[in-house]
Amino acid sequence: MSRRHAIFEVTPSGVTIEDLASRNGVIVNGHRIDAKVNLSVGDRILIGSQELTLLAARDPQAGMPLGKMTLPKLRLNTPSVGLQPSSSVDPDPEPSMVRRADQFKLLSGVAEKALAMGKAGEAERLLASALADVIEATRAGRPLPSTLVDQAAKFSAKLATATGKGGWADYVIELYAAQKRPAPANVIDELYNAMRKVTAVDIHRLRNYVAMLRQNLPRYGPAERFLFQRLEGLERLAALR
């Protein structure tokens, strides 16, 4: 696979792929392409030694194009990758939000590569629009897949660490306050990292979140109590800044 092998473009009308003059080319359904090609559900795309399968071609309820995504050099652990609904979702999330969870997962893989290369600004640009959609849906009280919430929170915390912007840490707290549940351990770990990097956070938002969780403490099991204790520690750390 070349360093910049192909580019996918996802819009409300569908998905296209274009070969970026790669050495081995892009194979769609057994045929090498020489121009931008419209993809359909079930199409099989061979890029180097990796085979992808498109499982969803568009989101009919999406109002804005998702834009272009250049496929970098990467390794996939599964032979078939696409956009399919996650099995771990909250009760009755909107179908469009379930699809967005899988789209976000795909996009975040590219952002992860950017972060690994020290390109925090590029990762932020890649995810900003998708993260804005999640927080707007949260504020509107729309049910969201738990996988989407956790993915958005994880990358917001990583962006806080990478950019030093406390607003991304505040984003995480707002998400889980709306969910009325403790953040998962991996998100809390990243928030601790972020607290050592950011210039400031909304301490009042964090305190209100911890206070809300404290009211629910009698209903928590051992695992949730441990997460709560770590969030209390995070509150104390933030107060020292």
Side-chain angles (χ1 to χ4, degrees), residues 23-89:
R23 182 176 60 184
N24 296 321
V26 175
I27 310 298
V28 177
N29 297 328
H31 301 283
R32 182 165 179 165
I33 65 173
D34 55 12
K36 183 182 290 189
V37 171
N38 293 316
L39 297 176
S40 301
V41 173
D43 281 351
R44 304 178 75 85
I45 305 104
L46 185 64
I47 300 175
S49 61
Q50 307 298 332
E51 184 177 88
L52 313 177
T53 302
L54 187 69
L55 301 184
R58 65 176 181 173
D59 179 354
Q61 297 187 34
M64 294 291 291
L66 294 178
K68 295 182 178 180
M69 181 181 68
T70 301
L71 187 68
K73 185 176 182 180
L74 49 81
R75 294 187 180 275
L76 302 174
N77 294 325
T78 57
S80 180
V81 175
L83 307 179
Q84 60 182 359
S86 168
S87 59
S88 176
V89 297

Side-chain angles (χ1 to χ4, degrees), residues 12 16 19 55 66 117 129 179:
T16 63
D19 183 17
L55 301 184
L66 294 178
M117 296 170 65
S129 178
Q179 295 281 309

